[in-house]
Amino acid sequence: MNGAQSLIRTLVDAGVDVCFANPGTSEMHFVAALDTVPEMRGVLTLFEGVATGAADGYARIAGRPAAALLHLGPGLGNGLANLHNARRARTPVVTVVGDHATYHKKYDAPLESDIDSVAGTLGWVRRSVSPAEVGADAAFAVAASQEPPGGVATLILPADISWTDGGTAVKPVPPRSPQQVPETTVKAIAEALRTGEPAALLIGGSATHEPALRAVSRIAAATGAKPFAEVFPARIVRGAGVPNVERLGYLAEHASHQLTGIKHVIVAGMKPPVSFFAYPGKPSDLVPEGARVHTLAEPGQDVVEALEALADEVAPDTAPILQEAQRPELPSGPLTVQNWVEVIGALLPENAIIADEAQTSGVLLPAATAGAPRHDVLTLTGGAIGQGLPVAVGAAIAAPDRPVIALEADGSALYTISALWTMARENLDITTVVLNNRAYGILRVELQRVGAEGSGPKANDLLDLSRPDLDFVKIAEGMGVPASRATTAEELAEQLSRALAEPGPHLIDAIVPPLV
Amino acid sequence: MNGAQSLIRTLVDAGVDVCFANPGTSEMHFVAALDTVPEMRGVLTLFEGVATGAADGYARIAGRPAAALLHLGPGLGNGLANLHNARRARTPVVTVVGDHATYHKKYDAPLESDIDSVAGTLGWVRRSVSPAEVGADAAFAVAASQEPPGGVATLILPADISWTDGGTAVKPVPPRSPQQVPETTVKAIAEALRTGEPAALLIGGSATHEPALRAVSRIAAATGAKPFAEVFPARIVRGAGVPNVERLGYLAEHASHQLTGIKHVIVAGMKPPVSFFAYPGKPSDLVPEGARVHTLAEPGQDVVEALEALADEVAPDTAPILQEAQRPELPSGPLTVQNWVEVIGALLPENAIIADEAQTSGVLLPAATAGAPRHDVLTLTGGAIGQGLPVAVGAAIAAPDRPVIALEADGSALYTISALWTMARENLDITTVVLNNRAYGILRVELQRVGAEGSGPKANDLLDLSRPDLDFVKIAEGMGVPASRATTAEELAEQLSRALAEPGPHLIDAIVPPLV
């Protein structure tokens, strides 16, 4: 058994049996070893950002890591933006970066670069130094990725360590359990809630899944505390039969408004809220002046148990308030920022997964889908655009029986557009709706907000995606995904119904007006 | 004048008047400032790897740096692979990476990451700390990028430094001249050449441009030394009227064959040759056993002057041997690895620039174009694929009057495919020929060469780009570039002639068989 074979066997034994790959020469022994471990599924992507984003999406749904196989420093670079998003999502991801053979590095061959420093910005890194140790390195990498609350673990695998005999498969290293929250913390926060002063309960991490959402709803119902989910949850469960928790606004003005008058900010599974960006003359810290921050559970602590304990403390006899089933009427007329989300709300199938990178076009989505059948929403956790299509790929591979809907802004789509090809090759049941407003809409908003002086035609040109217009029907067809264009709500509804009824990937190029 | 305005004014005064940009919120003041400095041209790209590759291509042709504007750590990550190629090309590139406002960083907002560590892997890095100093920082960044032999300089620009008043434009810092090669070095190498023992003269950097090529040819003609250019030159001048210097082979076996029997390896503007990758049981160092290595000029030394001095020493009365004009006949029949390059050789226009990322499909290109009209070839210097289309964008902006031809492998094209959109928006005179063999052809070769054991259908699947076939006609049209498909030599010739005759971008999807 060579190093590569022991690596793959160890990964599979630890439950990592999908590898999103974009390999090169230094990874050829890893690639060859795939045929010796039948349980490992290799999924080819045509760009590393698709591989890393897919690994993120996979783990958000599967609850366990996938591997991403990358080619040296440039491959890691191409995968870095979506690894950043995975780090912010606290998703377990095991990245395997091939490197030159140990004895070859000193020659500074053209592909030589400092992989370790780049990988070090993401979290846990190990460089394998002998084939005998690769198995253990892999087992530790899987455990490191699952260390609560979860993160990116990178294993750097030199080519000769991969191809040399002497590897052994190693048993999984059990990941640590999340740290328990002390009872005194729960009781102190219960006391703050009992003051009756205005309180907000801000939740992140696994607190946006059930059963934590039920505990949150009980606490809110009994104490009047306002619950909010973090701005960009890795996965939030929504829809009929689930407590409906509003998300904090992306715009600092919006979030400040949501928190107006709050005296107690209780955070559970997230850090205290901050502005996404800084703006001249505006605060970065979104905790209202004079409010006290109480940490119920830090990321990595057992937030579910803590919320349940708090609910039992302050709301022993209160039931959660569950969202009623209700859908918008199917709208008509030319597409608008309002009516396209109503189409989604009206037609969302049972048990769907939404990968949401609709950006400014999606501001009205949460309201329109609140009472749709129960579904998961995966969002842009780290702000690095180009995440939606890859995350959809990973989610569809993790849950082949669930319909996946990728809601994708035009500008964001272009970063990792070759994800469409992987959807076609793997015949994934993903319906992509591109919200094509022919602009970096968010930057038009931001250019106003930052109070930039002197901007004129040159500035606006850099935020404009027309001249030429992008034709996502042709782009999708060029990558093997059937596609159509919708300019009215009726067309979108008809095309979406058809796409959802057929297996395999589809794309709808929805021409929408910009938000501003 | 705010920091951003002083930055742009200083860049322009230092000769940096093109900025390839993919901005975000933290760069909005830079974007706004573009309208206050009319000389700076902003070019929008839809992915950072296009911006950085274009900056590389621009400088290879213009001989002076462009700027690339990137959005925080994820933007730098997306641009990293082509910055790696620029570093290996020793191209001067000024990268401006926007960052959060200084006071915002402590909040660890979602887009916060360690930009400094990632940028540090590329070379010179400075983080601006006050608006008053941004101008000086920019002037030093330009000078650092031009420090012989040239490289990537990164300026990290926090948003508040950008938006705060107090900036001043700073005069250019003159870059240092390349270090002179001592006369004793030239004389010692002349002596080695006079022994009459077999010698090879390996050239890189500006030694692959004229007038150095003429000196190389004189030395070779007078002494019998065999000249070879580095495997992947940043820019090599070729064609009728120019000395024809063969490149070292990418495959170590090929390069070893080229150097068989050599006793003196003279390197000028490059380091001694090494294998691109390591292979089990094969040497990394390509200097033949027993041969002596002589360094005429290290990268950064004045290699042109050194070669001319060496030529005057050993070949005072010898004229260079210039390539005669000769073109292949226009071929016919279904496209093959042989006949498509003959079409290029037969039709290459005067003064063209070839961005060559044809990979395995292009192995016969140098022979077919040797006697074509004089042209420049820009190659994949750092081995990070996805470089050809962006480099073509930059070259076309640097030389609007020259026809640019991008020869692009199908797999490589997908990494930075949105470069096509920028070609359309800027109406660049670029003809892209995609060599569509529906495979990662190089990896099929490499899988054999590395002696990977046990590879079977799963491994081969990861090297295969069919199922579905990529349709580059549709992809190009979707991005606004007129496109056609060629399956025969006659079709390729007809379509190439038409594309070259019309201004603006075109793409030809050339269906070729794989090399193996």
Side-chain angles (χ1 to χ4, degrees):
Chain A
M1 188 182 279
N2 66 24
Q5 290 161 345
S6 71
L7 168 58
I8 298 177
R9 170 50 59 196
T10 302
L11 290 176
V12 164
D13 290 350
V16 181
D17 56 8
V18 173
C19 179
F20 298 97
N22 189 245
T25 300
S26 39
E27 291 71 56
M28 279 301 104
H29 287 86
F30 184 105
V31 168
L34 286 172
D35 282 290
T36 68
V37 185
E39 300 93 327
M40 178 63 89
R41 177 175 178 185
V43 177
L44 178 60
T45 68
L46 302 187
F47 175 67
E48 293 87 346
V50 179
T52 55
D56 181 2
Y58 176 92
R60 291 193 200 184
I61 293 298
R64 62 177 199 277
L69 178 66
L70 310 176
H71 181 48
L72 295 128
L76 178 60
N78 285 335
L80 203 61
N82 275 335
L83 290 173
H84 170 85
N85 287 323
R87 178 171 74 90
R88 290 298 179 178
R90 304 192 174 97
T91 309
V93 171
V94 176
T95 308
V96 179
V97 183
D99 194 8
H100 283 308
T102 51
Y103 60 85
H104 193 67
K105 289 186 74 67
K106 67 177 173 191
Y107 295 104
D108 193 35
L111 271 163
E112 177 67 28
S113 71
D114 183 353
I115 299 171
D116 307 69
S117 291
V118 175
T121 67
L122 294 164
W124 190 95
V125 184
R126 183 171 294 186
R127 174 179 281 280
S128 286
V129 296
S130 98
E133 289 168 48
V134 172
D137 294 340
F140 281 115
V142 176
S145 77
Q146 294 177 313
E147 175 82 12
V152 176
T154 304
L155 184 61
I156 303 172
L157 183 66
D160 55 338
I161 305 301
S162 187
W163 77 51
T164 303
D165 272 341
T168 39
V170 170
K171 286 200 180 136
V173 175
R176 286 196 315 168
S177 300
Q179 192 196 350
Q180 282 197 312
V181 171
E183 203 185 325
T184 51
T185 303
V186 174
K187 291 211 183 281
I189 291 173
E191 201 153 322
L193 286 170
R194 286 194 193 104
T195 63
E197 293 174 345
L201 176 54
L202 311 187
I203 58 172
S206 48
T208 59
H209 315 168
E210 283 194 304
L213 285 175
R214 299 173 71 93
V216 169
S217 177
R218 289 168 59 204
I219 297 163
T223 67
K226 291 185 189 170
F228 295 101
E230 58 189 332
V231 182
F232 289 121
R235 175 160 82 85
I236 182 166
V237 184
R238 302 187 78 235
V242 181
N244 181 15
V245 175
E246 192 181 337
R247 280 157 58 186
L248 280 173
Y250 163 78
L251 300 180
E253 303 89 302
H254 182 197
S256 292
H257 179 75
Q258 289 169 312
L259 299 177
T260 300
I262 294 297
K263 297 293 175 201
H264 299 276
V265 173
I266 301 161
V267 291
M270 62 174 278
K271 292 179 298 176
V274 299
S275 175
F276 211 80
F277 291 105
Y279 302 93
K282 291 184 187 158
S284 294
D285 184 347
L286 298 180
V287 173
E289 201 154 323
R292 214 179 124 196
V293 174
H294 309 261
T295 299
L296 177 64
E298 308 244 17
Q301 289 187 306
D302 193 335
V303 67
V304 181
E305 194 186 71
L307 283 165
E308 288 181 335
L310 183 60
D312 289 345
E313 189 74 31
V314 299
D317 305 317
T318 310
I321 298 169
L322 306 182
Q323 170 69 45
E324 281 177 29
Q326 59 183 43
R327 290 179 184 265
E329 300 275 300
L330 267 179
S332 63
L335 284 174
T336 65
V337 173
Q338 173 67 51
N339 68 14
W340 84 263
V341 298
E342 292 171 355
V343 174
I344 303 295
L347 298 178
L348 194 73
E350 290 283 342
N351 207 22
I353 299 168
I354 294 179
D356 177 12
E357 195 173 38
Q359 314 289 24
T360 53
S361 296
V363 288
L364 302 175
L365 182 73
T369 51
R374 183 195 170 92
H375 60 280
D376 284 307
V377 179
L378 316 181
T379 79
L380 180 55
T381 47
I385 60 177
Q387 186 245 30
L389 299 179
V391 157
V393 165
I397 285 179
D401 298 332
R402 298 179 65 182
V404 176
I405 298 176
L407 304 175
E408 188 63 38
D410 51 350
S412 303
L414 264 288
Y415 287 69
T416 46
I417 191 71
S418 71
L420 295 173
W421 183 86
T422 297
M423 293 180 193
R425 169 171 277 204
E426 300 290 333
N427 196 31
L428 303 178
D429 192 17
I430 300 172
T431 301
T432 298
V433 181
V434 173
L435 291 317
N436 190 349
N437 64 13
R438 292 162 179 165
Y440 285 125
I442 186 68
L443 296 184
R444 288 193 179 169
V445 176
E446 297 285 17
L447 186 64
Q448 314 282 319
R449 294 179 71 218
V450 298
E453 290 164 30
S455 70
K458 283 167 75 179
N460 286 310
D461 221 37
L462 291 189
L463 317 183
D464 174 83
L465 298 181
S466 67
R467 298 182 298 110
D469 286 341
L470 287 155
D471 180 338
F472 284 95
V473 174
K474 284 190 169 166
I475 294 171
E477 289 177 350
M479 296 195 186
V481 171
S484 56
R485 176 163 299 108
T487 60
T488 65
E490 292 88 338
E491 286 169 358
L492 178 59
E494 190 271 321
Q495 293 169 21
L496 183 63
S497 301
R498 193 152 30 94
L500 291 169
E502 285 174 10
H506 296 79
L507 181 141
I508 301 167
D509 188 9
I511 310 299
V512 295
L515 184 63
V516 294
Chain B
M1 188 181 281
N2 65 25
Q5 289 161 345
S6 72
L7 168 59
I8 298 178
R9 171 48 61 197
T10 301
L11 289 176
V12 164
D13 290 350
V16 180
D17 56 8
V18 173
C19 179
F20 299 97
N22 189 246
T25 300
S26 39
E27 291 71 56
M28 279 301 103
H29 287 85
F30 184 107
V31 168
L34 286 172
D35 281 292
T36 68
V37 185
E39 301 93 325
M40 178 64 90
R41 176 175 179 186
V43 177
L44 177 60
T45 68
L46 302 188
F47 176 68
E48 293 87 348
V50 179
T52 55
D56 181 1
Y58 176 92
R60 292 194 200 185
I61 293 298
R64 63 178 199 276
L69 178 66
L70 309 176
H71 181 48
L72 296 126
L76 178 60
N78 285 335
L80 204 61
N82 275 335
L83 289 173
H84 170 85
N85 287 322
R87 177 171 74 90
R88 289 299 179 178
R90 302 193 174 95
T91 308
V93 171
V94 176
T95 307
V96 178
V97 184
D99 195 8
H100 284 307
T102 51
Y103 59 83
H104 194 68
K105 288 185 74 65
K106 67 177 173 192
Y107 294 104
D108 194 34
L111 271 163
E112 176 67 28
S113 71
D114 183 353
I115 300 172
D116 306 70
S117 291
V118 175
T121 67
L122 295 164
W124 190 95
V125 184
R126 183 171 293 185
R127 174 180 281 280
S128 286
V129 297
S130 99
E133 290 169 46
V134 173
D137 295 339
F140 281 116
V142 177
S145 77
Q146 294 177 312
E147 175 82 14
V152 176
T154 305
L155 184 61
I156 303 172
L157 183 67
D160 55 337
I161 305 302
S162 186
W163 78 51
T164 303
D165 273 341
T168 39
V170 171
K171 287 200 180 137
V173 175
R176 286 196 314 169
S177 301
Q179 191 197 351
Q180 282 196 313
V181 172
E183 203 184 325
T184 50
T185 303
V186 175
K187 290 210 183 283
I189 291 172
E191 200 154 320
L193 286 170
R194 287 192 192 103
T195 62
E197 292 174 345
L201 177 54
L202 310 188
I203 59 171
S206 47
T208 60
H209 315 169
E210 285 192 304
L213 285 176
R214 299 172 72 92
V216 168
S217 176
R218 289 168 60 204
I219 296 163
T223 68
K226 291 185 188 170
F228 295 101
E230 59 190 332
V231 182
F232 289 121
R235 175 161 80 87
I236 182 166
V237 185
R238 302 187 78 234
V242 181
N244 181 13
V245 174
E246 192 180 336
R247 280 157 60 188
L248 279 173
Y250 162 77
L251 300 181
E253 302 89 302
H254 181 198
S256 293
H257 178 74
Q258 288 170 312
L259 299 177
T260 300
I262 294 297
K263 296 293 175 201
H264 299 276
V265 172
I266 300 161
V267 290
M270 62 176 276
K271 292 180 297 177
V274 299
S275 176
F276 210 82
F277 290 105
Y279 301 92
K282 291 183 188 159
S284 293
D285 183 348
L286 298 181
V287 173
E289 200 153 326
R292 214 178 124 195
V293 174
H294 309 262
T295 298
L296 177 63
E298 309 244 15
Q301 289 187 306
D302 193 336
V303 66
V304 180
E305 194 187 73
L307 283 166
E308 288 180 336
L310 183 60
D312 289 345
E313 188 75 31
V314 299
D317 305 316
T318 308
I321 298 169
L322 306 182
Q323 171 70 44
E324 282 177 25
Q326 60 181 44
R327 288 180 183 266
E329 300 274 301
L330 268 178
S332 63
L335 284 174
T336 65
V337 173
Q338 174 66 52
N339 68 13
W340 83 264
V341 298
E342 292 171 354
V343 174
I344 304 296
L347 299 177
L348 195 73
E350 291 283 341
N351 208 23
I353 298 168
I354 294 179
D356 177 11
E357 195 173 38
Q359 313 291 25
T360 53
S361 295
V363 289
L364 303 175
L365 182 72
T369 51
R374 183 195 170 92
H375 59 281
D376 284 308
V377 179
L378 316 180
T379 80
L380 179 55
T381 47
I385 61 177
Q387 185 246 29
L389 299 179
V391 157
V393 165
I397 286 179
D401 298 331
R402 298 180 65 181
V404 176
I405 299 177
L407 304 176
E408 188 62 38
D410 51 351
S412 303
L414 264 288
Y415 287 69
T416 47
I417 191 72
S418 71
L420 294 172
W421 183 86
T422 298
M423 293 181 192
R425 169 171 276 205
E426 300 290 333
N427 195 31
L428 303 178
D429 191 17
I430 300 173
T431 301
T432 298
V433 181
V434 173
L435 291 316
N436 190 348
N437 64 14
R438 293 165 177 162
Y440 285 126
I442 187 68
L443 296 184
R444 288 193 178 169
V445 175
E446 297 285 18
L447 186 64
Q448 315 279 320
R449 293 179 72 217
V450 298
E453 291 162 29
S455 71
K458 282 167 77 179
N460 285 309
D461 221 36
L462 290 189
L463 316 183
D464 174 84
L465 299 181
S466 67
R467 299 181 299 110
D469 287 341
L470 288 155
D471 180 337
F472 284 95
V473 174
K474 284 191 169 166
I475 294 171
E477 288 177 350
M479 297 195 184
V481 171
S484 55
R485 178 163 298 111
T487 60
T488 66
E490 291 89 338
E491 288 168 358
L492 178 59
E494 189 273 321
Q495 293 170 21
L496 183 62
S497 301
R498 193 150 35 92
L500 291 169
E502 285 174 10
H506 296 81
L507 181 141
I508 300 168
D509 188 9
I511 311 299
V512 295
L515 184 63
V516 293

